[in-house]
Amino acid sequence: MNIIINGKTEKLENVRTIEDIVAHYDLLAKPIVVEADGVVLTREQWASTDVREESRVELVHFVGGG
Amino acid sequence: MTQPDTWQIGGRELSSRLFLGTGLFPNPYVQQEAIRASGSEVLTFAIRRVNLSATEDDSILQHIEPGQFTFLPNTSGARTADEAVRIARLARASGLSDWVKVEISANERTLLPDPIETLRATEQLVKEGFTVLPYTSDDPILCKRLEEAGAAAVMPGGAPIGTGLGILNPYHIGLIVEEAGVPIIVDAGLGSASDVTQAMELGCAGVLMNTPVAKARDPIGMARAMRLAIEAGRLSYLSGRIAKKKYATASSGYDSLKLT
């Protein structure tokens, strides 16, 4: 299905939940934060949060800054 | 000083008065050594999208010893209060910190903070239980309003971010400190050790900087210089400087100059 990830439309197969998307990008072990359709999720919510066609997902992390 | 000169933000006791940014360092090793040399206990970060075409890139957090520091994520990139609140919520969901530096820039050339959006974001984030440290203009009334909105500390800029121009309006910073009931931290625009000493002599509780350390020829040496500058400036402030006056006073008394 088509999912908008970090502002770009991505065609992903076999993804049902946020956890599937994070795993697809090999980010499960990284300290990232996910927002799905405007809602900030805790890590515990990844597996129970479903994505739909045209869901908007943001994957963010800490970078150097002042 | 006989007793330790500590201070508090959001219920946390701090010994160091230097908040250090983590951007622009030449490499992780120099960054780590500079952090150590600075004595800093609070490190700032930004929140950005993960680069999905290079997810194997190191995370900045891999190079920071866990548990040693308080993390102060900023909301840089936000142009409105709503955007800043959204970034703050993302930062808190990391589980790493409930502190947030509100940073809302209205103009890309100066990166000066938008005072109205900054106040709105501060009010909202305080309501949501964050420990809020707004980066703001050096306006005494605005700083007081941010304190009244519940900011845990207020962080007026010395000069625009990254300029190294030092404290452009020491008169205002002095007034802000005089009026404040929360710690005042000069954030942005500092360039060298003398600027840091001046901030401390004006009575600020601390300073936040990134570029002057990270982009110095020797960042590790500069980090140590900044730590020493804070110590000197703070001690000078606590010890009470002499008043400035127009004419000379001989150190040995005038009569001692007469030999006849």
Side-chain angles (χ1 to χ4, degrees), chain A residues 65-66, chain B residues 45-48 74-78 87 101-105:
Chain B
F45 296 91
I47 309 294
R48 292 289 179 270
N74 67 36
T75 65
S76 66
I87 295 167
K101 166 180 162 175
V102 173
E103 181 178 343
I104 303 173
S105 294

Side-chain angles (χ1 to χ4, degrees), chain B residues 53-81:
Chain B
S53 51
T55 54
E56 69 288 346
D57 276 4
D58 280 357
S59 154
I60 186 139
L61 299 174
Q62 279 173 275
H63 305 290
I64 310 285
E65 295 161 49
Q68 287 237 334
F69 301 99
T70 297
F71 289 171
L72 176 58
N74 67 36
T75 65
S76 66
R79 298 177 58 87
T80 65

Side-chain angles (χ1 to χ4, degrees), chain B residues 187-242:
Chain B
D187 173 9
L190 303 177
S192 69
S194 59
D195 299 334
V196 170
T197 302
Q198 184 188 22
M200 300 315 293
E201 288 188 323
L202 287 165
C204 294
V207 297
L208 192 163
M209 60 189 131
N210 189 163
T211 310
V213 175
K215 300 298 271 185
R217 189 165 38 81
D218 172 6
I220 301 165
M222 190 58 83
R224 182 158 179 259
M226 297 305 191
R227 180 167 61 78
L228 295 170
I230 285 182
E231 196 177 333
R234 176 72 182 166
L235 194 51
S236 171
Y237 171 72
L238 293 173
S239 304
R241 59 151 301 152
I242 60 164

Side-chain angles (χ1 to χ4, degrees), chain A residues 5-7 25 27 30-33 35 40-41 58-66, chain B residues 21-23 44-50 52 55 57 60 74 86 90 93-94 101 210:
Chain A
I5 301 178
N6 287 2
Y25 289 107
L27 292 167
K30 301 269 175 143
I32 67 157
V33 178
E35 183 193 68
V40 177
L41 305 174
E58 293 286 342
L59 307 173
V60 304
H61 63 157
F62 281 38
V63 300
Chain B
T22 55
T44 63
F45 296 91
I47 309 294
R48 292 289 179 270
R49 285 171 164 169
V50 175
L52 295 175
T55 54
D57 276 4
I60 186 139
N74 67 36
R86 182 182 173 204
L90 283 165
S94 70
K101 166 180 162 175
N210 189 163

Side-chain angles (χ1 to χ4, degrees), chain B residues 18 34-35 70-71 83 86 89 93 98 103 110 112 119 125 144 184 194 206 233 241 243 248 260:
Chain B
L18 172 55
I35 291 169
T70 297
F71 289 171
E83 287 173 10
R86 182 182 173 204
R89 289 173 183 160
D98 65 357
E103 181 178 343
T110 63
L112 285 170
L119 181 59
L125 291 167
K144 197 64 195 172
I184 299 298
S194 59
R241 59 151 301 152
T260 50

Side-chain angles (χ1 to χ4, degrees), chain B:
Chain B
M1 270 171 292
T2 48
Q3 63 223 53
D5 178 33
T6 60
W7 58 307
Q8 287 210 343
I9 288 185
R12 183 164 299 228
E13 188 169 36
L14 299 164
S15 304
S16 164
R17 294 174 177 274
L18 172 55
F19 290 9
L20 192 61
T22 55
L24 306 172
F25 280 89
N27 60 60
Y29 168 77
V30 169
Q31 175 173 291
Q32 214 165 3
E33 289 306 305
I35 291 169
R36 192 167 299 154
S38 75
S40 180
E41 296 165 319
V42 177
L43 302 178
T44 63
F45 296 91
I47 309 294
R48 292 289 179 270
R49 285 171 164 169
V50 175
N51 178 357
L52 295 175
S53 51
T55 54
E56 69 288 346
D57 276 4
D58 280 357
S59 154
I60 186 139
L61 299 174
Q62 279 173 275
H63 305 290
I64 310 285
E65 295 161 49
Q68 287 237 334
F69 301 99
T70 297
F71 289 171
L72 176 58
N74 67 36
T75 65
S76 66
R79 298 177 58 87
T80 65
D82 290 346
E83 287 173 10
V85 168
R86 182 182 173 204
I87 295 167
R89 289 173 183 160
L90 283 165
R92 182 161 68 175
S94 70
L96 296 168
S97 182
D98 65 357
W99 288 28
V100 63
K101 166 180 162 175
V102 173
E103 181 178 343
I104 303 173
S105 294
N107 177 310
E108 282 188 20
R109 202 158 55 91
T110 63
L111 296 177
L112 285 170
D114 181 317
I116 294 157
E117 295 299 310
T118 299
L119 181 59
R120 281 188 55 224
T122 299
E123 287 167 344
Q124 179 60 32
L125 291 167
V126 166
K127 258 189 225 146
E128 295 186 18
F130 286 83
T131 296
V132 187
L133 294 84
Y135 156 63
T136 176
S137 326
D138 60 350
D139 179 273
I141 307 301
L142 175 61
C143 286
K144 197 64 195 172
R145 291 292 301 271
L146 288 162
E147 176 187 327
E148 287 162 358
V154 177
M155 306 202 293
I161 295 169
T163 59
L165 291 168
I167 296 176
L168 295 178
N169 195 336
Y171 174 76
H172 267 194
I173 297 291
L175 283 184
I176 291 164
V177 169
E178 267 179 46
E179 293 291 320
V182 293
I184 299 298
I185 297 160
V186 171
D187 173 9
L190 303 177
S192 69
S194 59
D195 299 334
V196 170
T197 302
Q198 184 188 22
M200 300 315 293
E201 288 188 323
L202 287 165
C204 294
V207 297
L208 192 163
M209 60 189 131
N210 189 163
T211 310
V213 175
K215 300 298 271 185
R217 189 165 38 81
D218 172 6
I220 301 165
M222 190 58 83
R224 182 158 179 259
M226 297 305 191
R227 180 167 61 78
L228 295 170
I230 285 182
E231 196 177 333
R234 176 72 182 166
L235 194 51
S236 171
Y237 171 72
L238 293 173
S239 304
R241 59 151 301 152
I242 60 164
K244 293 182 182 181
K245 55 185 191 181
K246 194 170 178 182
Y247 297 112
T249 312
S251 339
S252 315
Y254 187 67
D255 286 347
S256 62
L257 296 175
K258 297 176 184 167
L259 296 175
T260 50

